[in-house]
Each structure stands twice: as C-alpha cells, then as structure tokens.
Amino acid sequence: MKQLSQKTINFLLKMQQNEITEHLVYTNLAKRVKKEEDKKILLEIADAELKHSILLEGYTKKKLKPKKIKVFIYKILSLIFGYTFVIKIMEYGEKNAQEGYANIVYEVPDATKIAKEEDEHEDKLIAILDEERLKYIGSMVLGLSDALVEISGTLAGLTFALQNNKLVALSGIITGISATLSMASSEYLSAKAEGNEKSALKSSAYTGIMYLITVSLLILPYLIFSSYIYALLFMLLVVVLTIFFFTFYISVSKSLPFKQRFMEMAGISLTVASISFFVGILVKHFLGIDI
C-alpha cells in the first residue's frame, strides 16, 4: 500500500469517525420510521456507512467508536424537528466529504468507490423523504406568522398604552387563546372545504399548536421582567430568534433559500410591532389614559 501523507491520514480518520457515527444515527432513525420501505432503505444506508468505516480502518489502522454526543444531538433533533431535518443536515456534510474524497483518489483508490456510494445515498434519501409533518408546513407557517404579526403587534401596542407588564401579559393571554382557537377552527373549515376531514383535523392542529407555542414565547418576557421596556425589547428579540430558527428549519427540510425568507418575515413582523407601538403611544395620549 502506498505511503499516505499525514494530511490524508487526518482526513481519513475524520471520515472514518463520521461514517461509524452516521451508521448509528441512520440505525436510530430507522427505528422511528413507520413506512417499511423507508426503514429498509435507512438500514441499507446504515450498513453501507459501517462498511465504509471498516474500509477506511484498513488505511488508518485505527479502530474508532461513534461520537455519542453527536448521535445524541441528532436523536434530539429528530424528535423535535423530524428525521427529514436530520437527514438533510447530514447530507450537507456528505457533499463536503465527496469533495474531500475526490482530492485523495491518487493516494486512496477506494475513495472513488466511497464517494460514488455517498452520492447514491443522497439520491435514495431524497426519494424517501415523505415525512408527514412536512405536508403541513403551510399550516405551521400560517400559525407561526399570524401569531408573530398579530400578537407581537398587540403586545407592542399595549406595552406603552398600559405600561404594566401584568396587564399586558393578561391581555396577551386572553387575545392569544382566543386567536389560537379562531385560527385553528378557520384552518379546519378551510381544509375541510377541500374534501379531506382527516387532513383538516391535522392542519388545524398544526396551525393551533404553532400559534399557541408562539404566543407563549412572546408573552413570557412580560412575566419575567418588571420593566416594560426590557419586556418589549426581549419580546422583539424572541420574535427575531423564532423567525430565524423556524426559517432555518424550513430551509433545510425543504431545500429552500434562507436569507430572503428570513429577512421578509422578520421585516413584516418588526414593522407591524413598531407601528403598533406608536399607535399605543397615540391612543394613550389622545384618550388621556393613565394606569
């Protein structure tokens, strides 16, 4: 066997570690997939990752164990965001790995084989990505975006008008619960009109849950801080962070551009909140409200 450079050995050790780790990740994901065909494909890919690790071990002469912390993180991510999100994240890493393998073909002939099989993995995975929750992305976006715009605007307007965090939180809770029920029922009726009652129930559930989660996050600062200014600023920070993480989730899961969607959604929400804040100032001034 040709003497390998230290740079190549370091790369192979990194890839060997990734392969054995992803073998365990794919095995765990297969346990959560309901469709037998999808489960079979994930187990096949897990087996291929294990074979790659063993093959690379022949070059590195070292036996490596999976990174348990990475396996744990992917497990948590799959529980929260779904297995599609985790697979997409790993596939981004696979693309970088393919480029790395291409650069060491002259030293490691098997690199071509591994890179080819990794590319085939991607094609197979794209074919099976049919996670249920992704079918209801539209309902999730509806619940999230409506809550961000409506509730953040309401809270911003009430913040200066009332200048009392407990009153703002109370108003937000009442408005949020009413709006959640209204949004969920509206989504149910809209989806049912398309002729699928089962789909309508799930659509309304996703919309309502996303709305309620968002409302809870926005109201939380008013229950934590005593200063209404701090509560308002932290609420706006929550708006930006919520948009960032959800947009990132959609961008990864659906392979969509991130920056434009994030800027658009954040711009709308913050603009509405700013306008509502000044409306609250004007209402307080002209009505002479002093609480």
Side-chain angles (χ1 to χ4, degrees), residues 139-157:
S139 299
M140 294 165 70
V141 171
L142 177 64
L144 178 79
S145 60
D146 196 84
L148 285 172
V149 173
E150 183 177 348
I151 302 303
S152 64
T154 299
L155 293 175

Side-chain angles (χ1 to χ4, degrees), residues 97-106 111 115:
Q98 288 173 31
E99 294 177 4
Y101 281 127
N103 294 329
I104 62 169
V105 171
Y106 66 96

